[in-house]
């Protein structure tokens, strides 16, 4: 029974079994040919039972992201297979048009259009600026750390966290905090109200029972000497006032930060694994644009609102743009994780002789801006402080989603947002605006050159009464490409993927749907319009974007079923 | 009667069994996963529009099956990493480090106990007391020992006394050192590795020091001390005991204890643009001293030398550190020099890759070049080459003959306050040696 010949046969059988199993698995993990309309997800802003507040340890979280999860990824065969076969897992919370619905995480804002300079300047603000003419009572203080900070309650009973610039860098951290707030809000994220305030320190009053943690880690009551020492570490303006960001307390009950991976077990609205949420994956590119490198869990926040659900916030933008909070942004930021084993081993072995381009470019032209450059900026390889699971899962579709938002910020809107930073140095506004525009265009060029930038698909009836598929070219609309240098073509494909017809559209942004093929659509049948784009300075046609059309059985009208972007 | 048939396992059967078990596990998991999947599908219409919708899985069943072997492989390292993470979180959450430091420090912060480590004398603790007798003074009592107790140091030191309205600083020191693992390979540049013999060494030292700072970064100190030195048998049994090879005539100091009264002058110039990882720094030391035997009067000698280190910026945060040092030790008249006071090469302070005291003679010359480059924030790597020579009279042997060399690399961790730790590996003709040090050097 266990003779040599038999043993060989068993091995063969087992090998074949394994091979069959693996082949089946690989096929099962493959891309589906048909368009499947994604299931609509329930609204996550419905009342659920209140959950307990939780805390995420910064060190533990960083260790997990930097080591445990990196090792897990190395042994993640399905992920490796998906990468090799260019079939990466797409975001799970997108609708048929590859967009995300408004949720407790995100609201569609600037890319819907119609944004004015006033709107961007207002951002999330509701006008609750603390009055510098009244008394501000300190009820919480942070004595340790590089930059001091405390929380106040004003005479109206509103509570604020006060944040300050590092000494010698007036405007650096506070400017970044406010400009970042406006831009992230316009992009669609939930952010706190942050106001730049100038106040006379005499209006500050130390409250009772204010505790501080001293250098030795001991908690004790803050006394007047501590208070004076704390104020002594804050830079004064020439007129004796202090400049700060007053960050209004976020509404609702605090429930701790959110993770960029998994779901929160005690939040029954939270059903999509965070690493597969489109808005968190797409945040990679928005964060890269704004140099928001510190996207660890602890710079996020969740609050349980009176409406009975958990809202997810992005907070702490003092370490964005050219500021690292306590100093200008170091050169490596965005190019490497703070502890980057790959970079470390690479440098160790090359004896540091390979000088990265970004090592040569570090400069601080304005102290209030810090180090914020567009040269050598690469949105795809942008590295945050620690590896971010959502960013690592981002695909080109997520990138397109983010780029569409980023490219919605016109020059004038960016200029308006920068003005809210109230930078004290002449020329700083222009410098920062210019860098933001340059970085925005770098993101746009990168993404739109890899994925077809046609968007805004809509069905309209022309003057003759024929149905037309209308679209926009985002690369042209945003000024990255010229209309006269752009051309389009499309193919009609049946539900089974058979090519029925193909047409050159030229420079027109409309496709006439009067073809007999469209008239024949019925029942479960659908028709695929695959559009491609070509620029005169590029020999190749872009990857297609497929628009799926079907006939609504109820009213007999042709409708857009959904779309898929190929890359 | 028929005997029962015994089935024996044959060679090569074990891997097959493992494979079978593996396939069984895979299929069992698949079966149960499918079961769950079917159950989910069945429940879907009910939960679709319900408030509490089913949480989406980040991986499909097929992906989970495909990942199963990787998950199995990942189990042991994941367990180790999870444990490390838990420890890290505990240390951070419990604030055990600042709390321990706090417990080891008096409320006014003037007194406390701290751990310490030295390559030569091992790990231990020191007690400090600031402002004892005088506002600026600092008392420090140190006790360190190696794991096996062969190396020990006890030190009582009080310094930073302010005299003459702060123009002069003063201090005193008492130290007892026990080193039972010392080695000697012979005298001169041709000492062979195979000629190693071991000995124990005891030293009692009492010292008084006065110093001034005439200009910024420059200090001049005058030190007077009384030392009692004695060589003893080593606990090390692997090599020949020193007394079996040498006697007082062949190796002065091996039998006779040396009770020395010494007077030394030290001049130190230290400039540093960035503590921890300077891009421009100078460290220059000159020392000269006279050693008089007040016991049997066998040993009278003088010693002088210099040690110069210059750090220069090379390119983009890469730096070069040059070091040149020389020392000469000469007897007065026909008196002798105890062998443990001869100039020596070997260890992390001279030629890395050689053990301490590998080469000894009256004169010593040393050159070193170190190239440092950043690999992470606050972590530098470096490679180095050391070369040096001992000679009876270095002025007559200014050539590369018998030049000893070592090379290697290391990693240094620093913060804004200075160098935190350094770990390096040096290679020489004797092989490789690993070094670790804390808070030491430029």
């Amino acid at each position: 029974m266990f003779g040599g010949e038999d043993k060989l046969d068993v091995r063969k059988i087992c090998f074949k079994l394994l091979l069959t199993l693996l082949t089946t698995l690989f096929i099962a993990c493959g891309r589906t040919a048909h368009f499947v309309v994604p299931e609509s997800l329930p609204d996550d802003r419905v009342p659920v039972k209140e959950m307990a507040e939780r805390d995420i340890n910064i060190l533990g979280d960083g260790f997990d992201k930097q080591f445990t999860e990196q090792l897990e990824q190395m042994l993640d065969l399905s992920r490796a297979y998906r990468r090799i076969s260019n079939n990466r897992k797409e975001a799970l919370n997108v609708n048929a048009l590859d967009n995300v619905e408004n949720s407790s995480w995100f609201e569609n804002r600037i890319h819907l259009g119609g944004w004015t300079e006033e709107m961007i300047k207002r951002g999330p603000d509701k006008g609750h600026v603390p009055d510098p003419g009244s008394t501000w009572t300190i009820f919480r203080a942070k004595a340790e750390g590089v930059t001091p900070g405390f929380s106040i309650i004003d005479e109206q009973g509103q509570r604020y966290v006060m944040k300050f610039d590092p000494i010698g860098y007036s405007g650096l951290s506070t400017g970044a905090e406010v400009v970042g707030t406006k831009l992230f809000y316009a992009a669609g994220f939930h952010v706190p109200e942050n106001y730049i305030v100038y106040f006379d320190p005499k209006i500050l009053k130390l409250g009772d029972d204010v505790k501080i943690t001293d250098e030795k880690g001991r908690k004790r009551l803050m006394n007047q000497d501590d208070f004076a020492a704390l104020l002594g570490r804050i830079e004064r303006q020439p007129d004796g006032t202090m400049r700060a960001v007053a960050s209004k307390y976020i509404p609702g009950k605090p429930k701790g930060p959110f993770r960029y991976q998994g779901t929160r077990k005690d939040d029954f609205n939270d059903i999509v694994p965070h690493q597969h949420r489109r808005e968190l994956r797409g945040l990679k590119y928005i964060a890269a644009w704004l140099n928001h490198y510190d996207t660890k869990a602890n710079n996020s926040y969740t609050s349980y609102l009176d409406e009975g659900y958990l809202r997810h916030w992005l907070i702490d933008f003092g370490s964005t743009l050219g500021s690292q909070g306590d100093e200008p942004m170091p050169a490596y930021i965005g190019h490497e994780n703070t502890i980057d084993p790959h970079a470390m081993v690479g440098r160790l072995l090359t004896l540091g002789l390979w000088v990265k381009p970004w090592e040569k470019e570090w400069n601080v032209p304005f102290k209030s801006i810090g180090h914020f450059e567009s040269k050598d900026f690469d949105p795809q390889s942008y590295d945050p402080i620690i590896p971010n699971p959502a960013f690592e899962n981002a695909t080109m579709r997520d990138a397109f989603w983010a780029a569409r938002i980023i490219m919605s910020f016109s020059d004038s809107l960016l200029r308006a947002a920068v003005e809210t930073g109230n930078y004290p140095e002449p020329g700083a506004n222009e410098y920062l605006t210019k860098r933001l525009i340059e970085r925005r265009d770098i993101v746009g060029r990168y993404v739109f050159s890899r994925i077809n930038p046609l968007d805004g698909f809509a069905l309209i009836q022309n003057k003759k009464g024929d149905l037309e598929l209308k679209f926009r070219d985002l690369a042209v609309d945003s000024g990255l490409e010229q209309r006269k240098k752009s051309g389009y073509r499309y193919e009609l494909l049946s539900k089974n993927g058979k090519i029925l017809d193909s047409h050159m559209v030229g420079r027109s942004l409309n496709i006439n749907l009067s073809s007999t093929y469209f008239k024949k659509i019925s029942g479960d049948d659908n028709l695929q319009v695959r559009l491609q784009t070509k620029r005169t300075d590029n020999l190749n046609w872009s990857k297609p974007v497929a628009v799926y059309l079907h006939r609504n059985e109820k009213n007999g009208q042709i409708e857009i079923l959904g779309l898929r972007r190929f890359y | 009667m028929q005997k029962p048939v015994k089935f024996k396992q044959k060679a090569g059967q074990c891997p097959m069994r493992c494979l079978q078990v593996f396939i069984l596990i895979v299929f069992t998991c698949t079966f149960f996963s499918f079961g769950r999947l079917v159950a989910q599908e069945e429940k879907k219409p009910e939960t679709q529009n319900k408030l509490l919708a089913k949480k989406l899985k980040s991986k499909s069943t097929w992906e989970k099956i495909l990942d199963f072997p990787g998950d199995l492989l990942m189990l042991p390292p994941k367990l180790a990493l999870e444990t490390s993470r838990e420890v890290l979180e505990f240390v951070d959450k419990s604030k055990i480090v600042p709390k321990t430091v706090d417990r080891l420090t008096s409320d006014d912060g003037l007194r406390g106990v701290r751990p310490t480590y030295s390559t030569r004398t091992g790990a231990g603790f020191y007690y400090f007391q600031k402002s004892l007798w005088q506002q600026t003074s600092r008392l420090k009592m140190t006790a360190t020992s190696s794991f096996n107790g062969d190396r020990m140091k006890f030190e009582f030191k009080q310094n930073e006394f302010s005299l003459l309205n702060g123009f002069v600083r003063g201090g005193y020191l008492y130290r007892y050192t026990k080193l039972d693992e010392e080695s000697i390979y012979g005298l001169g540049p041709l000492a062979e590795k195979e000629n190693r013999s071991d000995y124990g060494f005891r030293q009692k030292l009492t010292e008084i020091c006065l110093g001034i700072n005439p200009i910024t970064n420059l200090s001049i100190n005058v030190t007077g001390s009384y030392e009692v030195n004695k060589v003893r048998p080593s606990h090390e049994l692997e090599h020949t005991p020193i007394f079996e090879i040498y006697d007082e005539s062949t190796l002065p100091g091996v039998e006779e204890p040396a009770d020395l009264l010494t007077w030394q002058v030290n001049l130190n110039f230290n400039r540093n643009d960035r503590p921890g990882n300077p891009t421009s720094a100078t460290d220059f030391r000159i020392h000269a001293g006279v050693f008089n035997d007040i016991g049997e009067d066998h040993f009278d000698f003088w010693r002088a030398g210099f040690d110069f280190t210059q750090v220069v910026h090379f390119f983009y945060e890469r730096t070069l550190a040059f070091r040149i040092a020389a020392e000469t030790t000469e007897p007065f008249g026909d008196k002798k020099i105890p062998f443990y006071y001869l100039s020596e090469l070997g260890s992390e302070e001279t030629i890395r890759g050689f053990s301490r005291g590998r080469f000894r003679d009256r004169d010593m010359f040393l050159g070193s070049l170190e190239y440092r480059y950043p690999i992470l924030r606050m972590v530098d790597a470096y490679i180095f080459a050391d070369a040096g020579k001992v000679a009876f009279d270095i002025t007559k042997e200014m050539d590369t003959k018998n030049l000893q060399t070592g090379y290697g690399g290391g990693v240094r961790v620093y913060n804004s306050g200075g160098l935190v730790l350094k770990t390096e590996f040096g290679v020489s003709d004797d092989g490789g040696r690993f070094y670790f040090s804390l808070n030491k050097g430029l």
Side-chain angles (χ1 to χ4, degrees):
Chain A
M1 185 180 176
F2 292 105
E5 290 296 315
D6 287 343
K7 196 161 68 182
L8 197 65
D9 284 344
V10 173
R11 277 184 181 171
K12 272 185 179 177
I13 289 164
C14 290
F15 178 72
K16 282 178 183 174
L17 264 172
L18 260 180
L19 202 66
T20 315
L21 182 71
L22 288 174
T23 313
T24 318
L25 288 171
F26 279 134
I27 292 166
C29 290
R31 197 197 293 257
T32 55
H34 299 296
F35 179 73
V36 181
V37 179
E39 279 182 29
S40 61
L41 297 170
D43 193 337
D44 68 352
R45 293 169 295 179
V46 292
V48 288
K49 193 181 161 194
E50 186 178 342
M51 58 293 292
E53 186 177 355
R54 72 170 185 192
D55 189 27
I56 296 175
N57 185 272
I58 293 182
L59 284 179
D61 190 49
F63 186 85
D64 265 352
K65 301 284 177 296
Q66 196 72 64
F67 301 107
T68 314
E69 286 171 16
Q70 298 302 307
L71 189 64
E72 276 177 340
Q73 279 181 19
M74 283 168 64
L75 297 169
D76 191 338
L77 292 180
S78 62
R79 183 187 165 94
Y81 171 68
R82 281 179 174 279
R83 285 178 84 108
I84 293 164
S85 62
N86 193 27
N87 179 27
R88 297 182 66 173
K89 201 176 189 81
E90 297 295 344
L92 297 177
N93 66 325
V94 291
N95 58 24
L97 296 175
D98 212 26
N99 290 328
V100 293
E101 305 289 349
N102 290 348
S103 67
S104 68
W105 295 79
F106 183 83
E107 280 178 14
N108 290 288
R109 291 191 184 120
I110 195 166
H111 70 279
L112 299 179
W115 269 61
T116 61
E117 291 169 23
E118 194 169 317
M119 286 167 78
I120 205 155
K121 278 184 178 177
R122 189 167 61 242
D125 300 351
K126 293 183 173 68
H128 299 130
V129 195
D131 178 12
S134 63
T135 302
W136 297 352
T137 307
I138 296 173
F139 67 94
R140 186 175 289 172
K142 178 175 84 86
E144 81 275 29
V146 183
T147 49
F150 49 79
S151 296
I152 60 148
I153 184 161
D154 68 3
E155 288 179 356
Q156 281 73 46
Q158 302 284 355
R159 295 183 300 167
Y160 300 86
V161 178
M162 306 298 287
K163 303 175 187 179
F164 300 90
D165 291 312
I167 287 179
Y169 292 96
S170 181
L172 180 74
S173 170
T174 52
E177 180 92 41
V178 170
V179 175
T181 301
K182 309 296 180 192
L183 296 174
F184 276 103
Y185 176 80
F189 295 93
H190 299 298
V191 295
E193 294 176 53
N194 288 328
Y195 303 95
I196 286 188
V197 289
Y198 293 87
F199 63 94
D200 187 336
K202 287 175 187 165
I203 67 167
L204 293 172
K205 184 184 137 195
L206 182 63
D208 305 329
D209 302 329
V210 180
K211 286 182 179 169
I212 54 164
T213 308
D214 63 16
E215 290 169 350
K216 294 164 190 165
R218 290 182 302 198
K219 274 200 171 182
R220 61 176 172 82
L221 281 176
M222 189 177 194
N223 57 36
Q224 289 296 334
D225 290 342
D226 299 321
F227 181 46
L230 188 144
L231 294 183
R233 291 165 58 201
I234 299 169
E235 188 168 24
R236 305 285 182 104
Q237 299 295 304
D239 62 356
T241 59
M242 288 179 172
R243 175 188 160 118
V245 163
S247 184
K248 192 169 178 297
Y249 265 51
I250 288 172
K253 295 176 188 168
K255 297 296 172 193
F258 64 78
R259 291 184 191 276
Y260 284 82
Q261 189 164 31
T263 54
R264 186 166 175 159
K265 285 177 184 168
D266 54 2
D267 178 11
F268 297 108
N269 278 326
D270 187 16
I271 62 167
V272 181
H274 301 170
Q275 73 271 30
H276 297 313
R277 293 198 74 96
R278 164 62 57 81
E279 56 273 45
L280 295 186
R281 287 162 158 228
L283 176 63
K284 170 184 174 176
Y285 296 91
I286 300 170
W289 172 44
L290 301 176
N291 217 12
H292 183 25
Y293 79 104
D294 198 1
T295 50
K296 60 178 180 280
N298 290 67
N299 278 341
S300 68
Y301 188 86
T302 55
S303 66
Y304 186 75
L305 301 182
D306 292 342
E307 291 86 337
Y309 67 88
L310 206 61
R311 179 175 280 177
H312 303 81
W313 306 75
L314 295 183
I315 57 167
D316 278 349
F317 304 113
S319 295
T320 59
L321 305 174
S323 161
Q324 204 206 9
D326 57 346
E327 61 177 348
M329 202 67 98
Y332 78 90
I333 292 291
H335 302 283
E336 287 174 6
N337 304 132
T338 298
I339 299 172
D340 196 322
H342 300 104
M344 189 180 82
V345 172
R347 258 196 226 114
L348 198 64
L349 297 180
T350 59
L351 302 179
L353 295 174
W354 178 30
V355 182
K356 302 274 183 72
W358 50 262
E359 289 184 77
K360 302 174 186 173
E361 303 298 335
W362 197 82
N363 64 339
V364 180
F366 294 96
K367 282 190 163 185
S368 57
I369 301 294
H371 172 65
F372 188 57
E373 271 300 332
S374 55
K375 210 174 174 184
D376 302 313
F377 168 56
D378 178 8
Q380 183 61 24
S381 61
Y382 187 87
D383 277 326
I385 186 167
I386 52 172
N388 185 311
F391 293 7
E392 288 181 336
N393 279 288
T395 66
M396 279 315 293
R397 288 186 199 165
D398 303 312
F400 178 83
W401 175 87
R404 187 176 54 182
I405 291 171
I406 292 167
M407 297 312 292
S408 305
F409 287 90
S410 66
D411 294 3
S412 59
L413 290 179
L414 288 176
R415 197 165 289 113
V418 168
E419 280 171 16
T420 62
N422 213 354
Y423 288 103
E425 289 173 289
N429 281 6
E430 289 71 28
Y431 179 84
L432 182 56
T433 308
K434 196 174 173 207
R435 294 290 98 81
L436 280 169
I437 291 169
E438 288 166 356
R439 288 170 76 101
R440 175 198 68 189
D441 291 349
I442 289 170
V443 176
R445 281 200 188 89
Y446 175 82
V447 177
F448 294 160
S449 62
R450 284 162 179 80
I451 194 162
N452 198 334
L454 303 187
D455 195 43
F457 295 97
L459 290 171
I460 54 161
Q461 275 199 328
N462 65 15
K463 288 173 186 172
K464 293 178 187 173
D466 292 339
L467 202 60
E468 281 188 350
L469 179 65
K470 191 184 164 193
F471 55 89
R472 293 166 56 202
D473 185 339
L474 294 185
V476 172
D477 289 356
S478 54
L480 297 177
E481 300 288 351
Q482 293 178 11
R483 169 88 60 224
K484 61 183 180 185
K485 288 185 176 176
S486 307
Y488 313 98
R489 74 178 182 188
Y490 73 91
E491 286 177 340
L492 289 181
L493 284 86
S494 70
K495 187 178 179 181
N496 299 325
K498 185 184 169 190
I499 298 175
L500 305 172
D501 200 1
S502 64
H503 286 276
M504 292 294 292
V505 186
R507 289 178 199 159
S508 170
L509 296 174
N510 297 308
I511 295 172
N512 195 309
L513 302 183
S514 61
S515 155
T516 51
Y517 295 110
F518 293 101
K519 288 170 185 166
K520 285 180 184 172
I521 300 176
S522 62
D524 288 343
D525 207 7
N526 66 49
L527 205 60
Q528 191 184 146
V529 185
R530 281 196 174 195
L531 288 121
Q532 286 177 288
T533 307
K534 188 173 185 299
R535 316 288 177 195
T536 50
D537 51 2
N538 193 337
L539 293 173
N540 302 318
W541 285 90
S542 70
K543 292 279 171 65
V545 53
V547 182
Y548 296 86
L549 304 171
H550 80 140
R551 191 174 295 280
N552 187 326
E553 286 181 358
K554 289 176 186 168
N555 57 21
Q557 297 292 316
I558 291 178
E559 290 178 348
I560 294 175
L561 184 66
L563 63 85
R564 179 187 284 175
R565 298 181 185 282
F566 293 86
Y567 57 89
Chain B
M1 196 177 157
Q2 198 174 359
K3 287 183 180 176
V5 180
K6 287 182 180 175
F7 292 99
K8 286 182 180 174
Q9 287 201 339
K10 292 188 178 179
Q13 193 180 332
C14 191
M16 284 306 300
R17 276 285 157 86
C18 290
L19 194 63
Q20 284 166 358
V21 168
F22 175 73
I23 291 168
L24 192 69
I25 292 169
V26 169
F27 276 105
T28 311
C29 291
T30 314
F31 177 77
F32 284 110
S33 302
F34 268 122
R36 280 216 310 271
L37 199 69
V38 170
Q40 280 172 23
E41 289 295 327
E42 283 171 356
K43 284 179 186 172
K44 216 173 235 176
E46 293 174 21
T47 57
Q48 184 66 43
N49 297 315
K50 263 190 159 183
L51 177 65
L52 307 180
K54 191 89 179 166
K55 291 190 185 257
L56 302 183
K57 301 286 179 195
S58 61
K59 287 193 172 179
S60 67
T61 309
W62 289 113
E63 286 173 313
K64 283 180 184 170
I65 295 168
L66 195 60
D67 291 344
F68 185 70
D71 290 344
L72 271 183
L73 277 175
M74 181 65 196
L75 266 178
K78 192 172 180 180
L79 198 66
L81 288 168
E82 289 279 333
T83 311
S84 309
R85 202 266 319 268
E86 290 294 329
V87 170
L88 200 64
E89 283 196 5
F90 169 76
V91 169
D92 186 44
K93 271 185 191 168
S94 62
K95 307 268 183 218
I96 193 166
V97 175
K99 277 182 182 170
T100 308
V101 170
D102 183 38
R103 296 227 169 128
L104 295 174
T105 313
S106 64
D107 286 344
D108 56 7
L110 296 177
R111 294 176 299 280
V113 177
R114 296 282 186 275
T116 183
Y117 171 78
S118 150
T119 313
R120 193 161 196 199
T121 55
F125 291 90
Y126 68 86
Y127 166 82
F128 68 87
Q129 182 161 359
K130 296 174 190 168
S131 307
L132 181 68
W133 301 335
Q134 206 180 57
Q135 185 68 26
T136 54
S137 79
R138 187 181 167 97
L139 170 78
K140 192 175 174 187
M141 289 191 285
T142 309
T144 60
S145 171
S146 62
F147 186 70
N148 58 7
D150 278 351
R151 292 174 285 134
M152 283 184 183
K153 183 180 84 172
F154 301 98
E155 187 178 274
F156 186 95
K157 180 180 175 184
Q158 191 169 15
N159 59 4
E160 299 298 328
F161 277 113
S162 177
L163 308 166
L164 301 175
N165 290 327
F167 181 70
V168 178
R169 287 172 293 103
Y172 65 91
L173 160 78
Y174 175 75
R175 183 167 63 208
Y176 172 73
T177 313
K178 174 195 170 199
L179 300 167
D180 279 348
E181 292 174 343
E182 296 297 280
S183 305
I184 182 165
Y185 299 80
L187 300 181
L190 298 175
E192 294 290 337
K193 187 184 174 186
E194 291 72 28
N195 295 340
R196 173 176 169 173
S197 60
D198 296 326
Y199 65 96
F201 180 70
R202 303 279 193 281
Q203 184 188 58
K204 291 173 193 166
L205 169 75
T206 309
E207 182 181 284
I208 294 173
C209 175
L210 293 172
I212 57 167
N213 290 82
I215 56 169
T216 313
N217 303 326
L218 179 69
S219 66
I220 300 169
N221 299 318
V222 179
T223 307
S225 62
Y226 171 61
E227 303 169 19
V228 180
N229 304 289
K230 194 168 185 184
V231 173
R232 294 170 59 88
S234 169
H235 294 165
E236 180 67 61
L237 299 173
E238 195 181 335
H239 300 95
T240 318
I242 192 168
F243 299 110
E244 290 183 13
I245 304 177
Y246 304 104
D247 59 22
E248 192 63 25
S249 61
T250 53
L251 195 68
V254 69
E255 290 169 349
E256 293 288 336
D259 295 356
L260 302 173
L261 187 65
T262 71
W263 296 99
Q264 289 188 82
V265 179
N266 296 287
L267 183 147
N268 297 335
F269 177 80
N270 193 295
R271 181 190 59 79
N272 193 337
D273 71 334
R274 206 166 57 184
N277 68 333
T279 56
S280 173
T282 305
D283 186 29
F284 186 46
R285 295 156 197 260
I286 301 176
H287 65 269
V290 179
F291 299 73
N292 294 312
D293 190 348
I294 57 171
E296 299 293 325
D297 201 18
H298 293 145
F299 310 110
D300 280 338
F301 58 97
W302 61 271
R303 186 161 69 178
F306 73 90
D307 193 336
F308 173 72
T309 304
Q310 179 72 42
V311 179
V312 293
H313 187 244
F314 194 24
F315 64 101
Y316 300 113
E317 295 290 312
R318 280 76 168 162
T319 53
L320 289 174
F322 304 92
R323 182 182 172 205
I324 298 172
E327 192 178 70
T328 184
T329 316
E330 294 292 330
F332 289 113
D334 58 349
K335 298 292 168 54
K336 291 172 181 164
I337 306 167
F339 74 94
Y340 41 81
Y341 270 98
L342 291 170
S343 301
E344 60 179 48
L345 287 177
S347 88
E348 78 264 38
E349 286 139 19
T350 52
I351 302 180
R352 289 159 279 194
F354 286 113
S355 57
R356 184 179 299 278
R358 176 69 178 79
F359 300 99
R360 298 170 197 250
D361 214 326
R362 288 187 177 183
D363 295 351
M364 176 277 282
F365 176 80
L366 172 73
S368 178
L369 176 63
E370 199 168 289
Y371 163 62
R372 299 170 183 172
Y373 56 99
I375 54 169
L376 278 181
R377 201 170 191 214
M378 300 203 175
V379 182
D380 281 353
Y382 58 94
I383 51 171
F384 61 81
D386 302 326
K389 184 175 178 176
V390 293
F392 186 79
D393 185 352
I394 199 84
T395 56
K396 292 177 181 169
E397 295 181 48
M398 292 290 279
D399 52 36
T400 56
K401 196 179 167 190
N402 300 327
L403 191 72
Q404 306 300 334
T405 55
Y407 60 90
V411 173
R412 51 204 304 285
V413 181
Y414 58 88
N415 61 20
S416 55
L419 190 65
V420 176
L421 67 89
K422 193 164 86 165
T423 174
E424 56 196 341
F425 188 75
V427 180
S428 69
D429 289 344
D430 283 4
R433 293 186 80 85
F434 176 80
Y435 304 99
F436 176 80
S437 56
L438 295 171
N439 311 323
K440 209 171 177 182
L442 261 183

